[in-house]
């Protein structure tokens, strides 16, 4: 098919958000990375969520040159894993392949941690990202108003913001665009019933878009319901090319350039 033909020409895809420290990927890292390279992936960013996960990420980024990492505490974990701005900065500085802070943010859907502690942690992460001049990867669920209000406090410092696995409203997207935010599309954009989200991505400028798997979660169609992995990124890229009405190779180049610009990589 034309899709298979086009896929063969994709050689530089980037998975901007996955969790290689989570199973079943961690114990099958060799094959996961092999399949990623065969699919045409050039860079993978493995995201930190806890202090313990960072220990695995430091190990994982040494496994292959295409893997990069982050340091951050997920909003679910902020009651248990409390960190200061100083601690975040020190962990990022411990390895040159740690290129961003996060994922941090607010999750008022599950509320696994108190709202007060989530907000406090989020601010520490933002401030560390500003001090280091590197991106903060933001998780926001059922907290559009609060997420924007907090980020907007720091607007004069021009934080580098990446809204991971963006599923927010069009109104939220346009508010975030006023902060020069980037937005990452996940496999959720391939779900047929998510027309509103597809329409929001249609309106977000291409120069603000990245792609991700969030693997092992959120597998795109045709693997929905199964364990996700970075090599499936091509299905999200294909859907994004349809939404933006841009050919696959062009959207691959655009999302790559955006990633490399945001993370200051070649």
């Amino acid at each position: 098919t034309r899709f298979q033909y086009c896929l063969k020409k994709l050689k530089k895809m980037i998975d901007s958000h996955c969790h290689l420290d989570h199973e079943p990927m961690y114990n099958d890292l060799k094959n996961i990375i092999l399949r990623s390279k065969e699919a045409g992936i050039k860079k993978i960013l493995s995201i930190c969520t806890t202090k313990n996960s960072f220990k695995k990420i430091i190990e994982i980024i040494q496994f292959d040159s295409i893997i990069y990492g982050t340091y951050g505490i997920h909003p679910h974990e902020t009651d248990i894993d409390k960190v200061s701005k100083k601690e975040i900065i020190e962990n990022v500085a411990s390895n040159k392949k740690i290129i961003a802070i996060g994922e941090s943010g607010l999750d008022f859907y599950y509320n696994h941690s108190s709202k007060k502690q989530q907000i406090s942690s989020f601010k520490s992460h933002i401030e560390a990202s500003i001090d280091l001049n590197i991106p903060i990867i933001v998780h926001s669920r059922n907290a559009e108003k609060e997420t924007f209000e907090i980020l907007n406090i720091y607007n004069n410092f021009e934080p580098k913001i990446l809204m991971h696995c963006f599923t927010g409203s069009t109104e939220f997207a346009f508010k975030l665009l006023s902060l020069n935010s980037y937005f990452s599309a996940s496999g959720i954009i391939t779900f047929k019933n998510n027309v509103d989200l597809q329409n929001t991505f249609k309106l977000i400028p291409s120069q603000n878009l990245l792609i991700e798997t969030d693997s092992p979660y959120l597998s795109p169609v045709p693997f929905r319901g199964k364990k996700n992995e970075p090599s499936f990124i091509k299905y999200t890229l294909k859907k994004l090319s349809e939404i933006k009405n841009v050919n696959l190779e062009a959207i691959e180049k655009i999302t790559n350039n955006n990633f490399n610009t945001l993370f200051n990589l070649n």
Side-chain angles (χ1 to χ4, degrees), residues 9 27 62 173:
K9 298 172 83 172
N27 279 324
Q62 294 167 37

Side-chain angles (χ1 to χ4, degrees), residues 26-247:
Y26 181 68
N27 279 324
D28 194 29
L29 202 54
K30 183 179 177 183
N31 290 318
I32 292 290
I33 298 305
L34 184 65
R35 287 195 291 270
S36 297
K37 289 179 175 180
E38 286 173 350
I41 291 174
K42 284 294 184 207
K43 293 187 181 88
I44 294 173
L45 186 56
S46 191
I47 307 297
C48 178
T49 53
T50 65
K51 291 180 181 180
N52 278 336
S53 91
F54 189 61
K55 294 171 187 173
K56 284 185 176 177
I57 284 168
I58 288 295
E59 171 198 329
I60 289 165
I61 58 177
Q62 294 167 37
F63 181 82
D64 196 283
S65 62
I66 73 168
I67 307 169
Y68 295 83
T70 71
Y71 180 83
I73 307 301
H74 193 285
H76 288 343
E77 315 294 339
T78 54
D79 279 354
I80 300 164
D81 277 359
K82 294 177 181 174
V83 288
S84 64
K85 180 177 82 166
K86 181 173 178 283
E87 193 177 345
I88 296 166
I89 289 170
E90 285 171 355
N91 279 292
V92 172
S94 69
N95 193 296
K96 66 182 182 191
K97 288 187 82 180
I98 302 301
I99 59 171
I101 287 169
E103 68 186 274
S104 180
L106 305 173
D107 194 311
F108 296 164
Y109 179 81
Y110 286 109
N111 281 313
H112 289 325
S113 293
S114 69
K115 288 186 178 182
K116 183 180 177 183
Q117 192 55 43
Q118 288 186 51
I119 290 167
S120 173
S121 182
F122 188 25
K123 287 180 176 178
S124 294
H125 283 75
I126 296 168
E127 289 165 16
S129 78
I130 289 166
D131 280 13
L132 292 169
N133 194 29
I134 61 174
I136 179 162
I137 294 163
V138 179
H139 172 111
S140 179
R141 189 162 186 194
N142 278 35
E144 290 191 359
K145 180 176 177 286
E146 296 87 350
T147 300
F148 176 74
E149 285 175 353
I150 290 168
L151 288 169
N152 195 42
I153 291 167
Y154 299 95
N155 192 28
N156 288 343
F157 298 98
E158 298 181 354
K160 296 178 176 179
I161 302 163
L162 173 55
M163 301 303 299
H164 127 75
C165 187
F166 187 74
T167 55
S169 65
T170 303
E171 181 188 8
F172 186 36
F174 276 91
K175 282 184 174 181
L176 290 162
L177 281 168
S178 74
L179 307 179
N180 298 314
S181 295
Y182 287 77
F183 302 80
S184 184
S186 71
I188 294 174
I189 67 165
T190 70
F191 301 171
K192 287 179 182 175
N193 60 343
N194 274 357
V195 177
D196 286 349
L197 182 63
Q198 292 165 5
N199 286 336
T200 297
F201 271 95
K202 192 178 290 184
L203 295 170
I204 295 171
S206 293
Q207 67 263 27
N208 294 80
L209 295 178
L210 278 70
I211 53 170
E212 67 168 91
T213 60
D214 201 17
S215 49
Y217 315 105
L218 302 176
S219 283
V221 175
F223 298 104
R224 188 175 181 182
K226 298 179 181 176
K227 290 291 184 183
N228 200 4
E229 63 174 76
S231 65
F232 296 167
I233 194 82
K234 56 194 175 188
Y235 297 99
T236 301
L237 188 72
K238 175 179 180 283
K239 186 63 184 180
L240 189 60
S241 78
E242 292 169 4
I243 290 168
K244 302 300 287 182
N245 196 25
V246 176
N247 73 53

